[in-house]
Each structure stands twice: as structure tokens, then as C-alpha cells.
Amino acid sequence: MALPTISGNSSGRGICQGRFTISTVLANEDDTHNIYCQTKPTDCQTGPTYCQTEPSHCQTEPTYCQAEPSYSQTELTYCQTEPSSCQTGPTYCQTEPSHCQTEPTYCQAEPSYSQTELTYCQTEPSSCQTEPTYDSLTQSNIFHLRTFGYNTIDAVPSYEHYANTRVPGEEERGRPTLADLRCYIMDMGQHPPPLYENRPDGELGKEERAIQLTGSKLAEEPVRFGWIKGVMIRCMLNIWGVILYLRLSWITAQAGIALTWLIIIMSVIVTSITGLSISAISTNGKVKSGGTYFLISRSLGPELGGSIGLIFAFANAVAVSMHTVGFAETVSDLLVDYNATMVDPTNDIRIIGVITVTILLGISLAGMEWEAKAQVGFFFIIMISLANYIVGTIIPASKEKQAKGFFNYRADIFAQNLLPNWRGDDASFFSMFSIFFPSATGILAGANISGDLKDPAISIPKGTLSAIFWTAFSYLVISATIGSCVIRDATGSLNDTIPIGSMDCEGLACGFGWNFTECTQAGTCKYGLSNYYQTMRLVSGFAPLITAGIFGATLSSALACLVSAPKVFQCLCKDNLYPGIGFFGKGYGKNSEPIYSYLLTYATAVGFILIAELNVIAPIISNFFLCSYALINFSCFHASAINSPGWRPSFRYYNKWASLFCAVISVVIMFLLTWWAALIAIGIVGFLLAYALYKKPAANWGSSIQAGSYNMALSYCVGLNEVDDHIKNYRPQCLVLTGPPNFRPALVDFVGTVTKNHSLMVCGNVIIAVGLGRMKPNILVMGFKRNWQSDHPQNVEHYIGVIYDSFDLNYGVCIMRMKQGLNISRMMRADVDSSIVGFAQQASTIFQLEQGRKTIDIYWLFDDGGLTLLIPYLLTRKKRWRNCKVRVFVGGQMNRMDEERKAMITLLRKFRLGFHEVHVLPDINQKPRPEHLKRFEDLIAHYRLNDGFKDETIVNELRKDCPWKISDEEIKSNKTKSLRQVRLNEILLDYSRDAALIVVTMPVARKDKCPSTLYLAWLETLSQDLRPPVLLIRGNQQNVLTFYCQ
């Protein structure tokens, strides 16, 4: 994976003498960035002065003198508009300086005055402000007056500074920026009014004018719920769903009381740990609407959060159909009892289900307030029905109930129902678990409407955990009691009575005077735990109350899911993670109800209602909910494990290892329940995750994945310190002296091409201490200083000093020169002509284009360790340079050309670089042409010391003040190198005029033997008049290539 480009700013060898200096004259070529300095304090305090070396003038901000203040800043002056009136706050009078009152006048109502708000009045058009109001550079429009007793724009800690929202109609008060505190300029009227500041009516927008017309009237508050009404009751209703009334007794008959308790306990363990994880996540910051999706996406990031959000919304929509089918099934059974079926039992379920879900949709669209009132009503109905059931287990059973298998509490019934009795081809422990588990998914009902809670951080933990406890207790009690009262098989016929002790009777009922042997053996019994889904209705003291309870449980659960799915989907749509769904996120009304999401949920529910089989629908959604639980628990574990300072949940009763265990168990249970459904769920999550990773959503929520990436990178970087460097693992890690990276895009593109997916690139101004451990630069890349002849020699000295410093740090050095130049900062201004803009565009995009079938010419004249070969090789691995042919040029002797060529080809083959074309240059040491030699002498003439006829004392003074001057002795001692650079330029012009890139081994000058101007003249001469880009490379003389495997 490519490491990101790091842009840094550091001060270098600046020449602006002031309190604060930023200088980048050393960065590259003709680059002399703005140097910002502050003048020394004088009697008149000026603003920051911005000095520019090109052109040579200073732009000074307006000067504000204390000697002649434009504002009268005496004591606070108060005025009365009428003798009988009292100002609620201090009023600041604006008068002429000579008329300003110095003594405060107080309101007559009370000796102490109220400073609740600031008001201003003017008594004359030409006025002075005794307490001026300043335009802020931030979003706050006034000074924070009298902070700790004195005037300052510095702000005290405030909630508004950390909140992302504001009250409609009120000004947003922002914390002043650091620039405001350090460089604030008291310039009245110079800056536009801050955001939310009062402006004339003509400047107000439509929405702002509407706010102003309402005056102080606040917007209508949306409905908000507490932890009982908003979470606990909602979760309990969703858990006490269709499974409790219609399937718990049947599960008890199949799995027995013992395994049923195990199923309940396993579900409670999963839901309890998940509840603890939800509580921890929901208390780690302000929770908004979106429920489970919001919690997961803000913890694990938009990629995983978006995928699970879609799945969870779909699962809730399917859950609507499950609970609605449970209700319709009960109504259908009643119609059968009264011989009032409409078509047949299956189609009756479909008809009743569609009508029911339509009515529930109407309640939901009426608003959250009506939905909440309906839920409270359902809650009391269920509580009454459960109490009615407990009472019914105690009331002695009538003959009719005994005929259907109910005999009150019996120890032998409990003993028989304690163990499992599997019936059916698909009957097993995990098939029963898959049918029961959807009832436990109701723990998220409260979290799903987190945006409608008064305080989600308090309501979600208290309400969710309370609901889990009481519903788990009720499930255990009902399973044990119904398994102790009702046998598995009964006929329901009053004619099946026998004398107690008859010998031709089999089964537990024989001891109670009933003979159900025939139907038991034939499997035709209509009643009993294994055959009659309405067993709780049979056991209860008053059957219609159980029917009402079934209606309340199924309808309340369906209603909760019908509300949850659109709320979750609305939040997902607003985040714009997937295309084409933003339409469903639009909200209406004071609670921002997602009407279109409701309609989509309704359509999905109707589609599954048409299945009309509860045992088929329930396992479908189990895997989706388990997948959500797994990610919720993993979110809690991951956020805890990375030790991010931002993970500070106020709920402390959780354990990261328990969360991880629950996440793993949830995935395991998914496959144990229905392996194909688990694969489908994971496949959908994987597909949506891959899409999000491909699209790279712009959302940045500070997820634990981001924090984990930092931890992983940090640990790997630290771990690199324990590994010794090896040539095989060498990577060019480049510090690129770009100044602002957009000033030299071509240089950034070129180095980025080399380092992409390979190594590190850092963009900066000067050599700085950058990197961590072994993740630090080992190559310095910079542009050629094209204006060195016109620039101040001191800057030339600094430029060459950067190269020398790099060698001292054991860096390799690369210098890029282009005919058009690299710096396009001047071309970025608005007042340049079109021709210069054309050059700028060409310079900025040349390395972004396909290079075609040109050549990359490498002049490996001196062995620098192989860096001169490695950089071009990395280029050829990229698509843009892949078709370029690489030619290697080396120096040699005329009489040994073939031998040296073969030796070089052999060496390159051992390096496995794929470079096969080698040229030997026998004329590299020939004398250059006179005109080129004359041009070089003219180039350095201006910098010559000409010390041959000067006194030694004068020469020493000149060398001290002007170290860049070239002495006659230095010219003589470096004559051979100088001639070589001139000759090499001639060779480059002859061989590489049409190349895509020329790579040349850069010459190295000896310390204190070669002045900076002479060295720069070498580089200038070597690379001048060349149309292709020229890259001068010098490694640190240590191997970066090897042909050994160890």
C-alpha cells in the first residue's frame, strides 16, 4: 500500500531578521517564497509585515497607533433613554470623544444593573464607541468582553465550541482561531459579517428572514422520550413478540424444558453482552438518529457501517412481516373456530396481514407521538395477559381444558417435558434456536430510534439492560410453567375419558383419566404442546385476554420494526454512502419522518407477508440480526483494544474480551442455524464492503479502524528498528524539497511515480528531522536552481549547503532540471500572459502523460552504489513508462570497448534489471569545443576572485566575506572536472536529444576545495540546452543493488 504524501513546513537558513521568520529560499531553483516577519515593537504597533524578496517591496497591513486612539476606551458608560425606563443590560453610548461620559449612570430600578445582553445606542451620527465592537475573523461577531476582568477576544470554555449544531435563529459563537489570537487586526469594517451575524434585510436569505420574522419564538420542539417509554417498554414489547405467545410452548415440547432454558440462556448471553457493548458505544459521545447503523458506522467506519446498515434495515423490514404474520395467524385460527374463513387459512393470513400492516403504516405516519402512545397501550395489554396466564395455571382445569392436555401443575408432567422429543425431519436444537432467536433481537428497538431520545447515552444502557432482564425472566418462567402443566399430545375430545388405572392406555394422560393413545400413535392429535400453537390461550384464566396479548405483542413488535427500519435507512441515505438512495432520506415534519423509507419498508414487509409461514420467515432474519450483533460486539472490542484516547465511554460495565467472544459466537451460531443463509448474509456484507472500499466514501467519523491503522503502523515502524538493513530490502525513501507541493507538481508527480506502492515520499521546504525509526528519508530530491546567476550569492551558498548537508546525513541526492522549470507558483497568479500559462501547464503535467516508445538514457559514469540504475528501473515498472527503452551509457577506453561493454552487460544481467542496451563512450575525456569552453569561462567570470595580483590580506578578507568567490588556485585544481562537465554536455546533446528522460551520475565536489558557485556552474553546464528532463543522481556510495540471494 502506498504511503501518503506528507507535507511539512520548516524554517531554514532565513535572512529576514525578526521575531518570527519563515524562509524557503533554499528549497528549489528560482524559488523565493514570501518571508513573513514582524517588525520590532515601537511606539506605534504595526500589524504583521509581509516581505517579499521578489519584487523588493514590503506590504504592510494597516497601522494602528495607540497614541491617537480612534476609540474612546474609558469606563463603561450607561445611558437612559427615558427617565422612567430601566435598561436590562448595559447600554454603550456612542458620542463625540469630548462628550463621552466617564462616570457610569445606573438604572433607577435597582442599584445593581443587569448585564444579560449588550445593547448599543447612538446619540449623534458622528460618534465614538466607548466599548467598541470588533468584527472577528472567526464565526463569533463580538469580543468576549470582560473575560476575567479585561477586554480580550480569547474565549472561556463553552459547550457551543464543541457542538456541531446550533439553535435556529441564534448566532453561532465560535472559538477564535490561533491566527485571531496572534495576528488580530482591529480594523472596523474591513471584514465581511461573520456567519449568522445580523445583517440588513436586503442581505438576509430567505431562511434567515423567516427566522427573524418569528422573533424570539423557538422552533417547535420534536417529541423526545426517556429511558422507560423510549427504550425499555419498546424493547420489551419487541422481545415479547409472536414467539412468546405462539411458539414458546411448541419449542418447549420439541426441545424439552431443559434445552429450552439453554436456548433462552444462550440467547440472553448473546443479547446481554451485545447490550453491554451497545451501552459502551452509545455512551462514547453524542448519539444521533440511525440506531445500530449509527453505532457501527461511527465505530468501524462507513465501509462496514454502510453494509450492515442496509442489512439491518432489511432485517427489520422482514421482521415486520414476521410479527404481522403471527397476528394474522391468530386471527385466522379464530376465524376457523367460528367457521368464518374468508378463503382458506393460508390466504386468510395473507389478506389479514396486508390489511394489518397497512393500518400500522398509517399509525407510523401519524408521527412518533402517536406511535409511542400505541406502544404504551400494547404494553399494559401484554402485562395483563401475562398475569392472566399465571393465574390460569393455578385455577383447576375444566374438563374441556383437560381434554386438550392441560392438567395444572404436575411433577410427572414436568419430568416428562424436561427432556426433548424431536418431531419432524428438520427438528433439532439449532432449528429451534433459529426460530426462537428472532424474539431476542428486540434489544435494538430502543437504540434504533436514538434520534428521538432525550438522552441516548443514558436511555439506551438503562432501558436495554432492564428490558433484557425482565423479558429473559418472563421467558424462563413461562417455559417452565407451561411445561409443568400441559402434556405434549391430546385430542380435545371429551369422549376420551377412561377410568384411572386402565391397562389398555399408554401415555402420561392415562394416570389423569384420559386416553390419547390412538392419536398419539397415529400422529393426528390436534392439541397439546407439540400440536397446538395457542396453548397459552388454553392455559389462561380468561382466553380473550391472551388473544389480546397476542394482538398487543405482535402488533407492537411489528410497529416497532416498522419504525426502526425507516429510521435506520434514513440515516444511511443521508450519509450518501451508496448511489440512488438519497431520495429515501428526506424527512418531513417536526420529527423529520422519512415518508419514502416508510413506504419502502411497507412494500418489503408485504412481499414477505405473502409467504404466510412464520417458521419460514423467522430463520431468514436470524442470520441478519446475528450478523449485526457480531459487528456491534466487534466494534466494542476493537475500540477498546486499540487504546485510542477518544474511546472514553461513560458506561464502564463491559469487557472487551466478552465482546470479542460474543462476536465469534454470533458468527458460529449463524452457520449452525442455517449455513446457506449465513453465506448469503456474509456475501451481501462482503459485496457492499467491497463497493464502499472501491468508492472510498468521503465520510470521516474518526472510526476505530483509523485508530487501529495508526497503532498498526506505529508498531510496525517500531518493529523495524529491531531488523537490520539489507540491500535486498532497500527502498528509496524521498524527502522532496517542493515548498508547497502544488508549486512544483511535476517534481511531485515524478517522485510519486517512483515511490508509489514502494516506499515513502515526504514533501517539505528544507532538510528536517522527519520519519520514525527506519521509516525516514534516505534520498533528497530537489529542483535545479535556474536563477542562481541572478540571485544573491548567499542564497546560492545556502542551496549548495543543502546538498552538502544531505551528503553529511548519508543521503543520496537527486536534482531534477526541466527546460520550462519546475516552479509554477508565479504562473498561478491571475496577471500572467497565456504563453507563460502554457509553459506552466506543460511543466505540471509532463510526468502524468504516457511516455510512448521514447528512451530513458542512463549515464552511469561513476559507481554510486547503483542508485543511478535503481531509480530508472522503478520508473519502468509503471504503466506510463513501460514502453520506454532503457539505454545505459558508460565511459571506456577506445581499445577496450568490446570488453567493457560485455562486462557491463554481464553486470546488468546479474542485477536482473532488464537493461540490455549498453553503449561505451570512448571520447568522454576529449577536449570540448572552444565555444563551449568559452561559455563556461564566461559563466564563472563574475564569481572569480582574480587573486593572482592582489595582496594576500585583501584576498583573505574577500574570502571571508564572500566564500562563494572562486580563486585562481581552485580553478586550476578543478580544471579537469570542469572540462569533463563541458564535454559531457556535448555528449548528451549528441546522443539524448530526443529521450524521454536523461539520468546522469551527478559530480561530487570536495569540501573546502570547490566554492558553491563553481559547483553550481558544473551542474549548469552539464544539463544546459537539453530539451528532455534531466535527473542528476548521486547515491551515498553504498550498495542499493545486489545479485546475491542472501
Side-chain angles (χ1 to χ4, degrees):
M1 183 178 65
L3 289 171
T5 299
I6 307 171
S7 180
N9 279 321
S10 297
S11 59
R13 304 168 187 254
I15 59 174
C16 178
Q17 301 297 322
R19 187 173 58 181
F20 181 70
T21 303
I22 300 178
S23 175
T24 58
V25 297
L26 306 180
N28 289 286
E29 48 167 327
D30 53 349
D31 173 33
T32 51
H33 298 306
N34 295 342
I35 305 170
Y36 307 99
C37 61
Q38 289 187 347
T39 59
K40 295 181 179 180
T42 60
D43 294 336
C44 179
Q45 295 181 354
T46 65
T49 302
Y50 305 94
C51 302
Q52 294 181 335
T53 58
E54 277 188 14
S56 58
H57 64 274
C58 288
Q59 297 177 347
T60 307
E61 293 291 336
T63 303
Y64 308 94
C65 298
Q66 298 292 337
E68 296 181 3
S70 57
Y71 313 107
S72 175
Q73 298 183 352
T74 58
E75 295 182 37
L76 297 178
T77 304
Y78 308 94
C79 70
Q80 295 176 305
T81 56
E82 294 182 7
S84 60
S85 65
C86 178
Q87 301 286 345
T88 59
T91 304
Y92 303 101
C93 296
Q94 296 179 336
T95 62
E96 293 292 331
S98 60
H99 300 148
C100 287
Q101 297 179 1
T102 58
E103 294 295 331
T105 302
Y106 302 95
C107 295
Q108 295 177 358
E110 291 289 341
S112 60
Y113 53 88
S114 171
Q115 296 183 351
T116 56
E117 58 182 48
L118 304 177
T119 56
Y120 307 91
C121 66
Q122 289 185 341
T123 57
E124 293 184 15
S126 177
S127 60
C128 74
Q129 260 189 321
T130 59
E131 197 68 39
T133 300
Y134 304 109
D135 285 327
S136 173
L137 298 178
T138 62
Q139 291 180 343
S140 178
N141 67 328
I142 61 171
F143 273 101
H144 297 274
L145 299 176
R146 294 296 173 189
T147 301
F148 302 124
Y150 61 90
N151 294 342
T152 177
I153 65 170
D154 216 348
V156 296
S158 174
Y159 171 85
E160 288 79 7
H161 298 161
Y162 299 90
N164 294 329
T165 56
R166 68 180 183 93
V167 178
E170 291 189 3
E171 294 180 355
E172 183 181 33
R173 298 180 60 84
R175 181 194 305 110
T177 66
L178 191 59
D180 294 345
L181 299 179
R182 299 181 66 244
C183 308
Y184 192 78
I185 302 171
M186 297 184 296
D187 183 12
M188 295 294 293
Q190 291 295 318
H191 304 287
L195 191 62
Y196 313 128
E197 185 179 4
N198 292 331
R199 288 168 284 175
D201 288 341
E203 299 180 13
L204 287 175
K206 182 178 180 181
E207 295 180 1
E208 292 171 306
R209 189 178 292 110
I211 292 175
Q212 198 176 64
L213 290 175
T214 59
S216 60
K217 183 179 179 180
L218 296 176
E220 188 176 3
E221 284 291 326
V223 178
R224 297 286 186 244
F225 307 111
W227 71 273
I228 296 178
K229 188 176 180 181
V231 181
M232 188 185 78
I233 290 179
R234 188 176 299 274
C235 288
M236 292 178 71
L237 287 174
N238 214 5
I239 296 172
W240 282 335
V242 62
I243 304 298
L244 173 67
Y245 286 97
L246 300 181
R247 289 297 181 272
L248 183 60
S249 58
W250 176 73
I251 293 173
T252 304
Q254 292 274 350
I257 297 174
L259 291 184
T260 301
W261 273 43
L262 180 60
I263 290 174
I264 296 172
I265 292 173
M266 286 177 59
S267 301
V268 169
I269 290 175
V270 173
T271 56
S272 297
I273 297 176
T274 305
L276 296 176
S277 299
I278 291 174
S279 301
I281 297 173
S282 63
T283 57
N284 189 52
K286 188 174 182 179
V287 178
K288 298 182 181 180
S289 61
T292 304
Y293 160 72
F294 184 89
L295 297 178
I296 296 177
S297 62
R298 270 54 177 181
S299 296
L300 292 180
E303 295 83 7
L304 270 175
S307 59
I308 205 61
L310 279 177
I311 283 182
F312 190 76
F314 174 75
N316 273 279
V318 178
V320 174
S321 65
M322 182 187 74
H323 295 295
T324 305
V325 167
F327 168 80
E329 189 177 284
T330 303
V331 177
S332 177
D333 290 343
L334 291 175
L335 294 177
V336 171
D337 292 342
Y338 291 98
N339 296 318
T341 56
M342 292 178 285
V343 182
D344 56 68
T346 301
N347 285 312
D348 286 356
I349 291 175
R350 295 187 177 115
I351 296 171
I352 297 169
V354 172
I355 295 174
T356 302
V357 78
T358 304
I359 296 174
L360 293 178
L361 176 66
I363 296 175
S364 301
L365 294 179
M368 288 297 297
E369 189 172 4
W370 284 95
E371 188 267 349
K373 291 178 179 178
Q375 294 284 32
V376 173
F378 289 141
F379 178 76
F380 283 110
I381 291 174
I382 292 175
M383 293 298 294
I384 293 173
S385 70
L386 292 179
N388 172 58
Y389 162 78
I390 296 298
V391 172
T393 61
I394 302 173
I395 298 175
S398 62
K399 289 292 183 180
E400 290 80 4
K401 289 186 177 183
Q402 288 183 359
K404 294 180 180 180
F406 173 56
F407 296 98
N408 295 106
Y409 291 106
R410 305 268 183 168
D412 46 0
I413 295 179
F414 175 81
Q416 186 184 57
N417 289 336
L418 184 64
L419 299 177
N421 182 17
W422 308 113
R423 298 185 183 183
D425 296 335
D426 298 329
S428 66
F429 175 83
F430 286 105
S431 65
M432 296 300 108
F433 185 90
S434 66
I435 294 173
F436 174 83
F437 189 77
S439 66
T441 59
I443 65 168
L444 300 177
N448 288 338
I449 63 162
S450 54
D452 298 302
L453 301 176
K454 293 179 181 177
D455 190 348
I458 294 177
S459 299
I460 292 176
K462 291 179 64 176
T464 302
L465 296 177
S466 299
I468 291 173
F469 174 78
W470 289 114
T471 53
F473 177 77
S474 64
Y475 271 105
L476 292 172
V477 169
I478 292 173
S479 174
T481 54
I482 205 167
S484 303
C485 298
V486 184
I487 61 176
R488 285 190 169 101
D489 297 293
T491 60
S493 174
L494 295 175
N495 298 325
D496 289 337
T497 58
I498 60 171
I500 297 176
S502 298
M503 301 300 296
D504 57 345
C505 179
E506 296 181 3
L508 192 63
C510 300
F512 308 138
W514 295 86
N515 185 7
F516 303 137
T517 304
E518 183 178 350
C519 78
T520 301
Q521 294 176 347
T524 57
C525 297
K526 295 182 179 180
Y527 294 94
L529 288 178
S530 297
N531 308 292
Y532 189 49
Y533 290 149
Q534 302 282 352
T535 303
M536 283 189 66
R537 189 166 177 266
L538 169 67
V539 173
S540 66
F542 184 61
L545 285 180
I546 294 297
T547 302
I550 296 174
F551 290 171
T554 53
L555 294 179
S556 64
S557 298
L559 188 58
C561 293
L562 187 58
V563 171
S564 298
K567 293 287 186 179
V568 173
F569 193 61
Q570 180 188 33
C571 183
L572 176 65
C573 294
K574 287 183 176 180
D575 288 336
N576 294 319
L577 300 182
Y578 301 104
I581 63 174
F583 170 76
F584 296 100
K586 188 176 182 181
Y588 297 88
K590 60 184 179 181
N591 274 63
S592 187
E593 299 293 344
I595 304 297
Y596 298 115
S597 293
Y598 275 114
L599 296 176
L600 180 63
T601 303
Y602 169 78
T604 304
V606 168
F608 279 88
I609 286 173
L610 298 179
I611 297 177
E613 181 57 53
L614 187 62
N615 292 351
V616 174
I617 299 175
I620 293 176
I621 63 176
S622 293
N623 279 285
F624 291 118
F625 281 114
L626 280 168
C627 190
S628 302
Y629 287 2
L631 283 178
I632 289 174
N633 286 287
F634 181 75
S635 299
C636 182
F637 164 76
H638 194 264
S640 303
I642 61 174
N643 294 321
S644 173
W647 176 250
R648 303 185 303 274
S650 57
F651 182 84
R652 302 291 184 181
Y653 305 102
Y654 71 95
N655 183 273
K656 62 181 180 181
W657 299 113
S659 298
L660 178 62
F661 170 78
C662 190
V664 174
I665 288 297
S666 298
V667 175
V668 172
I669 293 175
M670 286 176 62
F671 284 93
L672 293 177
L673 295 183
T674 314
W675 64 267
W676 55 267
L679 289 177
I680 292 176
I682 293 176
I684 295 175
V685 172
F687 173 77
L688 296 174
L689 175 61
Y691 176 84
L693 290 174
Y694 173 75
K695 286 296 183 179
K696 293 181 175 60
N700 183 4
W701 298 318
S703 66
S704 61
I705 297 295
Q706 294 174 334
S709 299
Y710 172 84
N711 277 7
M712 186 179 299
L714 183 63
S715 61
Y716 282 149
C717 287
V718 174
L720 281 176
N721 291 329
E722 302 175 2
V723 180
D724 294 333
D725 288 332
H726 195 281
I727 302 172
K728 288 171 59 178
N729 296 325
Y730 175 85
R731 294 173 184 263
Q733 302 182 118
C734 301
L735 171 60
V736 191
L737 299 188
T738 59
N742 61 330
F743 281 10
R744 291 173 179 78
L747 189 61
V748 175
D749 287 339
F750 178 80
V751 180
T753 303
V754 175
T755 60
K756 184 178 181 181
N757 297 329
H758 288 299
S759 55
L760 175 72
M761 178 175 74
V762 182
C763 293
N765 284 1
V766 295
I767 302 177
I768 53 178
V770 63
L772 175 63
R774 310 233 167 168
M775 292 291 295
K776 62 183 179 181
N778 51 26
I779 297 176
L780 178 75
V781 184
M782 57 196 304
F784 182 74
K785 189 173 181 61
R786 299 171 64 233
N787 69 334
W788 68 276
Q789 298 176 68
S790 59
D791 200 1
H792 193 284
Q794 185 64 49
N795 291 337
V796 176
E797 188 78 8
H798 291 163
Y799 179 83
I800 298 300
V802 171
I803 299 177
Y804 290 164
D805 290 345
S806 301
F807 289 143
D808 291 340
L809 293 171
N810 207 30
Y811 280 15
V813 175
C814 297
I815 298 178
M816 170 68 72
R817 180 174 187 178
M818 294 176 57
K819 186 176 181 180
Q820 302 88 354
L822 291 169
N823 188 0
I824 65 169
S825 59
R826 290 194 304 275
M827 292 72 165
M828 296 170 66
R829 301 171 188 165
D831 56 347
V832 297
D833 61 42
S834 58
S835 62
I836 297 179
V837 172
F839 278 115
Q841 292 175 347
Q842 183 179 359
S844 62
T845 61
I846 185 171
F847 295 118
Q848 298 178 3
L849 305 175
E850 291 288 339
Q851 302 302 316
R853 296 188 176 276
K854 298 180 182 180
T855 63
I856 299 176
D857 291 347
I858 305 172
Y859 289 82
W860 195 24
L861 305 177
F862 306 99
D863 193 348
D864 60 347
L867 186 63
T868 306
L869 294 177
L870 181 62
I871 297 298
Y873 166 73
L874 294 177
L875 274 179
T876 58
R877 296 177 63 176
K878 298 303 188 292
K879 184 178 179 180
R880 297 172 189 164
W881 298 83
R882 189 171 298 163
N883 294 325
C884 290
K885 183 173 66 173
V886 179
R887 301 190 299 177
V888 179
F889 295 84
V890 295
Q893 299 178 9
M894 180 68 71
N895 57 351
R896 299 185 69 252
M897 287 183 57
D898 291 341
E899 292 83 352
E900 291 181 358
R901 182 176 178 274
K902 291 179 181 179
M904 182 54 61
I905 291 176
T906 302
L907 179 61
L908 294 178
R909 186 179 294 115
K910 289 181 178 294
F911 285 147
R912 307 175 306 281
L913 298 174
F915 302 162
H916 305 296
E917 187 172 344
V918 176
H919 298 269
V920 179
L921 302 174
D923 52 353
I924 192 171
N925 291 320
Q926 290 183 2
K927 189 175 182 180
R929 291 193 284 269
E931 61 271 20
H932 293 161
L933 186 58
K934 176 66 166 57
R935 183 172 61 180
F936 175 76
E937 291 174 351
D938 294 341
L939 187 63
I940 64 174
H942 178 66
Y943 303 99
R944 293 192 62 172
L945 193 58
N946 295 319
D947 55 337
F949 303 99
K950 294 180 181 178
D951 184 72
E952 184 177 354
T953 304
I954 298 175
V955 172
N956 292 335
E957 286 294 330
L958 289 174
R959 294 304 301 267
K960 181 179 179 181
D961 296 335
C962 305
W964 55 84
K965 287 289 187 177
I966 309 172
S967 68
D968 294 344
E969 178 63 28
E970 290 167 340
I971 290 178
K972 182 179 179 181
S973 62
N974 291 291
K975 181 178 180 180
T976 304
K977 279 192 175 182
S978 299
L979 293 176
R980 184 184 298 130
Q981 312 315 316
V982 179
R983 177 56 185 157
L984 282 175
N985 179 252
E986 295 175 351
I987 294 175
L988 296 179
L989 289 171
D990 291 340
Y991 288 92
S992 303
R993 190 179 299 272
D994 298 323
L997 176 68
I998 301 174
V999 181
V1000 186
T1001 304
M1002 187 174 69
V1004 177
R1006 293 185 179 275
K1007 277 187 177 181
D1008 303 326
K1009 299 296 183 182
C1010 181
S1012 59
T1013 50
L1014 179 59
Y1015 188 32
L1016 204 47
W1018 290 351
L1019 303 183
E1020 170 75 27
T1021 301
L1022 177 61
S1023 58
Q1024 66 184 351
D1025 296 337
L1026 293 170
R1027 185 173 59 184
V1030 180
L1031 183 64
L1032 305 175
I1033 299 180
R1034 171 61 72 162
N1036 62 359
Q1037 303 303 114
Q1038 296 179 4
N1039 289 350
V1040 299
L1041 296 173
T1042 181
F1043 42 77
Y1044 295 107
C1045 60
Q1046 63 180 8

